[in-house]
Amino acid sequence: MLELAAPEAVLVFTGLVVLAVDLLALRGVELRFRLFVAAMIAFVGCTAAMGWMLVLPEQAATFNGMWEVSPATQFIKVALLALTIFTVLLSVDTDFTPHVGEYFALILLAAVGMMFLVSSVDILMIFVSLELTSLCLYILTAFSKRKPQSAEAALKYFLFGSMSAAFTLFGLSMLYGLSNATNLGQIAQAVEGPSLDPLLVVAIVMTVIGLGFKVAAVPFHLWAPDTYQGAPAPSAAFIASGSKVAGFFIFARVMMLGFKGAEGSAAWQAYLPGWVPVLAVLAAASMFLGNLAAIVQSSVRRLLAYSAIAHSGYMFLGILPHGQQGMVALVYYVITYGLATLGAFGVLSIVERQTGGDRLSDFAGFGRRAPAVSMCMAIFLLSLAGVPPLAGFMGKFLVFASALNEARGGLGLLWLVAVALLLTAVSFYYYLKVLKQIFIVKAEGETGTTPTPVVSQVVIILLALLVVVLGCAPNLLIGPLLSAIQSAGA
């Protein structure tokens, strides 16, 4: 039974090893060496966990059906482990904390929480996994003791997170009361009917509020700008990438599996009550507020936070069709978004070390100080904007296409896709503002190129290559993903 959870067990063991090695053998050693050793141990642990997945059965369940392994869940877990590896490697060139072992152990435990979340098909397991992930992320946000904003951001994140946990628990407990079951499939069978029970409507709303917080959807997004600004750069990168992948996957699973039969419709002139119109409103609100608020930001961290809120709106377009095509589009989108965002935070971290700030003016002349990394930043931002042939363009194309295919003879979700296209055009403005500072505006007292940390530079270039390759050859990701989701019947 525990064989299925072996990859997660490997990560937990690796976290304990990192902690023990740092506390017992490396406390008096130079910080840079401790970071490097911890990152290498975490890298080996994540790689071993990936390798273990190859010997697991393709389809199995354990813990009385509360937890399952399928090609789709394994695929997402590999993506989460890859994002974890990139995060720990980007942490090598930082100096925000002397508590190296604790920091890397928490990153690995957060990854364990996300992996448990992906495999959960039971509302109890979902709630426990969500809280395990959230607790680790709260602490990671507060990890920079030298920066007062770090503790403030963590406190806000924790308070909003606690409130969302209460909403989630209330919604899930109502579902249990309605169905007398905790398994998502059994809940769907019990609550399915010709009309929506008023209590089921309340359960849907409460659950959407709780999960909406986790993915920073409007109006549950208030924690995101402060958290992105106050957290250490690698922590913010992990929150923006890993938690988004796991959060949207479980959001889609709860809606599509647990509330099957209560979809309703948000189609133009064919409205039906259910969870689809609720998510359609959240999608439109997230795209509007995220894109418009990002325009006026002078801090690049806050700009990326509002950009993340806007991208949550685009990602909802993959859930709304509640079919396999939408699921493939959603997973492709969140993975490629995670790679681009992780890379953008990696570049941001280098700029902060050079200038001490993250304001737009701090990026002035960066293209001449670090040309290779600046080109990578251009790739990340243009991908987030949706410029072909980068991965972000294909992600947007897939989610828009899946939403349009929902039409089935009428106008369907065309209104929402039109809103998304309009706001995508708006987003070009604020992404290009950053690139203008990097490549056109000159900094005072420019002195030519500046040495950039080797490990960060290699990781950033690798992430940029992945964004380009997955954009030019999307089938490298879509093919295996489609096969995995079809095998699992997700």
Side-chain angles (χ1 to χ4, degrees):
M1 183 175 74
L2 291 177
E3 180 194 355
L4 297 179
E8 287 81 357
V10 168
L11 279 197
V12 172
F13 178 72
T14 307
L16 295 176
V17 169
V18 169
L19 199 56
V21 169
D22 187 63
L23 286 174
L24 301 176
L26 298 176
R27 263 295 141 101
V29 182
E30 187 193 357
L31 178 63
R32 179 67 192 274
F33 182 71
R34 289 168 59 200
L35 286 164
F36 181 76
V37 172
M40 288 303 106
I41 295 173
F43 174 80
V44 171
C46 291
T47 309
M50 277 189 201
W52 202 304
M53 285 183 196
L54 297 176
V55 300
L56 290 180
E58 197 170 85
Q59 196 107 29
T62 186
F63 302 124
N64 294 322
M66 298 170 77
W67 201 78
E68 73 167 24
V69 167
S70 70
T73 60
Q74 300 299 77
F75 193 95
I76 302 293
K77 286 181 186 179
V78 169
L80 287 171
L81 287 170
L83 291 173
T84 307
I85 288 174
F86 286 129
T87 303
V88 297
L89 292 178
L90 284 174
S91 304
V92 170
D93 295 316
T94 57
D95 60 352
F96 60 85
T97 180
H99 303 286
V100 175
E102 295 90 326
Y103 169 73
F104 281 89
L106 279 168
I107 285 191
L108 293 170
L109 288 177
V112 171
M114 292 173 195
M115 291 169 71
F116 268 111
L117 189 60
V118 166
S119 276
S120 301
V121 285
D122 184 281
I123 54 177
L124 286 175
M125 186 68 88
I126 289 171
F127 184 76
V128 171
S129 305
L130 272 174
E131 292 314 298
L132 171 60
T133 306
S134 298
L135 286 172
C136 295
L137 296 182
Y138 301 150
I139 303 170
L140 285 171
T141 302
F143 231 83
S144 181
K145 289 187 178 176
R146 301 174 203 153
K147 198 173 166 186
Q149 297 99 318
S150 183
E152 181 188 340
L155 180 61
K156 288 179 181 173
Y157 193 13
F158 172 72
L159 291 176
F160 278 108
S162 304
M163 195 168 64
S164 83
F167 277 109
T168 309
L169 196 57
F170 186 44
L172 297 180
S173 60
M174 290 191 76
L175 274 181
Y176 176 71
L178 286 167
S179 62
N180 199 29
T182 56
N183 181 277
L184 289 176
Q186 293 169 2
I187 289 171
Q189 288 175 3
V191 301
E192 191 174 7
S195 61
L196 289 180
D197 187 313
L199 287 178
L200 178 60
V201 174
V202 177
I204 290 174
V205 171
M206 293 295 118
T207 309
V208 167
I209 290 174
L211 295 177
F213 166 85
K214 301 298 179 190
V215 298
V218 173
F220 320 113
H221 65 286
L222 296 175
W223 60 274
D226 289 332
T227 300
Y228 279 44
Q229 187 167 34
S235 302
F238 196 48
I239 292 168
S241 55
S243 75
K244 207 86 163 177
V245 173
F248 262 100
F249 184 77
I250 200 64
F251 204 141
R253 170 170 273 181
V254 169
M255 293 295 123
M256 293 163 65
L257 186 58
F259 294 118
K260 191 175 182 180
E263 292 88 356
S265 172
W268 186 256
Q269 295 183 330
Y271 170 84
L272 287 173
W275 59 262
V276 168
V278 177
L279 293 197
V281 172
L282 291 190
S286 301
M287 288 185 285
F288 260 114
L289 190 141
N291 282 306
L292 297 182
I295 289 175
V296 295
Q297 301 304 316
S298 56
S299 156
V300 175
R301 279 178 180 253
R302 293 185 81 85
L303 185 150
L304 288 174
Y306 281 106
S307 158
I309 293 165
H311 279 279
S312 292
Y314 300 126
M315 291 168 194
F316 277 129
L317 292 177
I319 302 179
L320 293 176
H322 49 86
Q324 287 185 352
Q325 186 189 356
M327 197 66 185
V328 171
L330 172 69
V331 175
Y332 179 90
Y333 196 113
V334 290
I335 290 176
T336 53
Y337 167 83
L339 294 173
T341 305
L342 202 56
F345 269 101
V347 178
L348 175 67
S349 178
I350 293 174
V351 173
E352 284 182 334
R353 279 199 296 278
Q354 287 184 355
T355 64
D358 70 308
R359 303 186 73 78
L360 278 170
S361 55
D362 294 320
F363 282 75
F366 187 63
R368 285 173 282 279
R369 296 199 301 273
V373 174
S374 297
M375 284 305 299
C376 294
M377 186 63 162
I379 290 171
F380 299 137
L381 294 181
L382 293 176
S383 177
L384 291 172
V387 173
L390 303 173
F393 166 77
M394 185 52 65
K396 281 193 171 66
F397 175 79
L398 290 173
V399 293
F400 293 171
S402 66
L404 286 175
N405 284 342
E406 172 67 6
R408 295 178 185 129
L411 291 176
L413 293 172
L414 180 61
W415 67 273
L416 193 55
V417 175
V419 169
L421 283 169
L422 174 67
L423 292 168
T424 296
V426 171
S427 72
F428 277 85
Y429 176 75
Y430 58 81
Y431 290 126
L432 291 177
K433 261 197 337 183
V434 182
L435 295 181
K436 177 187 169 190
Q437 291 290 326
I438 292 175
F439 293 106
I440 297 177
V441 177
K442 289 186 178 178
E444 291 179 10
E446 276 188 3
T447 56
T449 58
T450 307
T452 51
V454 177
V455 177
S456 291
Q457 191 167 349
V458 170
V459 173
I460 289 167
I461 291 173
L462 187 57
L463 285 166
L465 283 174
L466 282 172
V467 170
V468 174
V469 170
L470 291 177
C472 295
N475 270 337
L476 290 176
L477 186 58
I478 294 173
L481 181 56
L482 184 61
S483 170
I485 288 178
Q486 284 176 341
S487 305

